[in-house]
Amino acid sequence: MSEKPEHETLIFYVDSRFERMARRPGGIAREEALANAQSHVDELKFDFVDWLDQELQQLDAALSQIEVDPNDVTVFDRANNICSQLRDVGTTMGFELVTFVAGSLCAILETIRAGATYDKEMIDCHINALFLVKTDPYRNMSPGQLPEMSSGLRRIVDLAIQTTPEEPGPEAEQLAVGKIPLSEGDDGPR
Amino acid sequence: MKNSTINLRDLVILVADPNAYLRRVVHGMLRGFGANKVLEVTHSFSLFEALTGQKIDILLCDTRLPPHGGLKATHTIRCNVYNQNRTMPILLMTSDTSETMIKRARDVGANMVVAKPMSPNSLYDRLSWIALNPRPFIDTATYFGPDRRFKIEGYPGGVGRRKGDKAIEVAEEVGPALAQNDIDKLFSATRSGQS
C-alpha cells in the first residue's frame, strides 16, 4: 500500500501578462531600442563625474571612520555600499577602471569583515587609484591597459586574503586567483 | 525565432535596487526599450508593499537589496500563495556572479540573472528571453518557480554577443567570475541533471 504523497509535483504554464504583452506587435525594433537606451545612458554621463566625486568624498570619510573604529558596522556597511555602487555603474558609464578598482576595494573590505586587520596603506592605495581613474584621461580605458596598477591591486587583495582568519567572500577570492579578467581576452595573471 | 523585438509599452516594471544612480540607469534603459510604466523601490519592505497593492508585470531586483537581499525576497515572493504576483517573471541583477550565487538565484525561482555592470544589450536580451521563451512553472514541496531544466536555443532572433552584432558604446562587463554567457548556461545546465 503506497502512502499518499504530501505534495504532488505540479507542472503548469502561466500565460503571464509580461509574456503576452511583450510579444504584441508594435514594439521598438531591437537595434532602435538599444540605440535609444544608449542615448538615455549617455545623457546620464553628463552628471556622472559629479556624482562620482560626491560618492568618493563620502567613501573617503567612511573609510576614515573605519580606521578609527573597525568594528563600527554601520559605517562599514555604508563604505561597502558606496564601493559596490561605484563598481556596479562604472563600466556602464564608460569608466571600466572605476569598476575594477572599486571591485578590488570591495574585496579588501570583505577581508576586513572576515577579520583581517585594517591596513591603512591598502585602503589609501585604492582611494588614490579611484581618484586617479575617475579623471578624463582614464575614461574608456580597461584594466589591461594599466597592467602595473591592475596587478598591483591584485597583489594587495592577495596579501589581504592571506592575513584573513576567516574565509573572505567570493569576490575577494575571485580577484585574488585572477578569475576576474583584466580585460576582454585576458585570463588574469599567470 | 526570427524576431526578438519586444513591446514593453504599458507593462508595469518594478526596479528594486538600493543604488539610486543605478536605478536611474536601468530606468533610462527601459525607457529606451519603450517602457512607460517603470516603478522603483529601494528596499524589500517597499518591494513587498508594492507587490501587495498592484499587479506587477516583471521585477528587476538586485541581489543586495536591503535588508533581506534579493534572493530572500525572490524566495518570499514565490512562496506566498496569496500574492497575485507570485508567478511574475523575476530578473535578478548581481555583481556577485560566482557559481554559488547563480545556482542559488536559480533555486529560489529567479527567471534569469543579469550581471552588473550591465549594458543595454545584456538587459534587453534577458528580457527578450523571458518574453519569447516561456517556461512552465514547477510546484514541488521544495521549489516553486520557473522550470530550471530549460534549454537555451541561442539568443532570441539569433542576436547577442557575436562578431556581427552592432557595436554599442558600452564596455564589456568586467569583474564577474562567470561571464554572462556562463550564467545563462548555468541556468540551462540542469536539463540533463548536470547540476
Side-chain angles (χ1 to χ4, degrees):
Chain A
M1 184 177 162
S2 63
E3 287 183 16
K4 187 181 175 184
E6 285 183 6
H7 194 297
E8 195 178 343
T9 297
L10 299 173
I11 302 174
F12 57 97
Y13 274 92
V14 178
D15 187 20
S16 77
R17 212 175 94 95
F18 177 77
E19 289 162 3
R20 207 168 51 246
M21 289 186 68
R23 291 196 297 260
R24 286 172 300 166
I28 302 171
R30 183 180 184 276
E31 296 300 301
E32 190 185 341
L34 292 179
N36 290 345
Q38 187 58 50
S39 155
H40 280 279
V41 172
D42 289 342
E43 282 173 23
L44 290 174
K45 284 180 180 174
F46 290 112
D47 63 3
F48 178 69
V49 175
D50 290 339
W51 176 82
L52 194 56
D53 278 335
Q54 289 172 16
E55 295 297 304
L56 276 178
Q57 298 294 345
Q58 289 182 35
L59 177 62
D60 200 16
L63 289 170
S64 300
Q65 284 181 267
I66 293 174
E67 187 185 354
V68 177
D69 181 8
N71 297 317
D72 189 333
V73 179
T74 309
V75 178
F76 191 92
D77 285 344
R78 194 191 313 147
N80 204 18
N81 285 338
I82 296 169
C83 209
S84 305
Q85 291 184 20
L86 300 180
R87 176 195 58 198
D88 290 350
V89 297
T91 298
T92 308
M93 306 314 286
F95 284 90
E96 199 176 333
L97 285 167
V98 170
T99 289
F100 180 79
V101 179
S104 180
L105 184 52
C106 283
I108 294 287
L109 292 175
E110 273 190 36
T111 65
I112 296 171
R113 195 198 291 277
T117 310
Y118 182 96
D119 188 319
K120 189 176 180 332
E121 284 186 12
M122 284 184 183
I123 299 290
D124 285 349
C125 183
H126 279 83
I127 288 292
N128 291 339
L130 277 172
F131 275 106
L132 178 72
V133 298
K134 80 175 177 65
T135 56
D136 217 41
Y138 294 92
R139 188 195 292 257
N140 295 324
M141 281 182 78
S142 69
Q145 291 172 276
L146 292 175
E148 286 184 10
M149 185 197 77
S150 307
S151 56
L153 292 181
R154 277 219 177 91
R155 278 198 297 274
I156 289 174
V157 173
D158 203 17
L159 192 64
I161 289 174
Q162 286 171 20
T163 60
T164 308
E166 296 172 28
E167 189 166 321
E171 189 165 351
E173 290 287 353
Q174 289 165 20
L175 195 71
V177 299
K179 283 184 182 172
I180 297 179
L182 291 174
S183 64
E184 198 179 0
D186 185 345
D187 297 328
R190 305 289 187 270
Chain B
M1 205 169 291
K2 289 178 182 175
N3 184 10
S4 67
T5 297
I6 50 173
N7 188 346
L8 300 183
R9 185 159 184 83
D10 293 333
L11 282 166
V12 183
I13 303 174
L14 180 58
V15 179
D17 196 301
N19 181 343
Y21 202 88
L22 197 110
R23 285 199 309 276
R24 285 176 66 194
V25 171
V26 173
H27 197 131
M29 287 182 188
L30 292 169
R31 290 267 171 195
F33 298 160
N36 58 336
K37 292 182 179 174
V38 182
L39 309 175
E40 298 177 14
V41 292
T42 58
H43 51 74
S44 46
F45 294 119
S46 49
L47 167 63
F48 294 134
E49 196 180 322
L51 293 174
T52 305
Q54 62 198 310
K55 181 76 179 158
I56 301 295
D57 293 315
I58 185 167
L59 169 65
L60 277 64
C61 182
D62 183 57
T63 51
R64 290 168 53 92
L65 188 74
H68 304 105
L71 294 175
K72 185 77 187 292
T74 302
H75 186 65
T76 304
I77 291 164
R78 295 296 190 217
C79 289
N80 185 354
V81 294
Y82 301 107
N83 192 291
Q84 60 179 333
N85 295 302
R86 189 186 190 197
T87 56
M88 73 177 163
I90 299 177
L91 178 61
L92 285 178
M93 307 178 284
T94 185
S95 49
D96 174 7
T97 53
S98 61
E99 191 171 330
T100 308
M101 170 61 87
I102 305 305
K103 283 183 175 173
R104 286 176 66 201
R106 187 188 63 190
D107 293 343
V108 295
N111 290 67
M112 280 276 168
V113 171
V114 62
K116 284 182 174 180
M118 65 174 86
S119 64
N121 288 45
S122 62
L123 181 58
Y124 190 92
D125 286 342
R126 263 107 223 127
L127 290 172
S128 291
W129 255 334
I130 293 171
L132 305 176
N133 296 280
R135 290 144 62 191
F137 258 73
I138 307 294
D139 183 2
T140 71
T142 56
Y143 176 75
F144 184 90
D147 191 351
R148 292 169 289 183
R149 300 169 302 162
F150 76 106
K151 183 181 178 185
I152 293 172
E153 302 281 4
Y155 284 87
V159 294
R161 282 188 193 166
R162 293 174 184 170
K163 283 182 179 176
D165 287 351
K166 183 186 176 188
I168 198 154
E169 241 187 76
V170 170
E172 291 290 319
E173 294 90 347
V174 167
L178 293 181
Q180 184 70 58
N181 283 350
D182 295 326
I183 295 171
D184 297 333
K185 280 178 192 164
L186 201 57
F187 261 75
S188 65
T190 52
R191 184 173 174 78
S192 52
Q194 293 168 32
S195 61

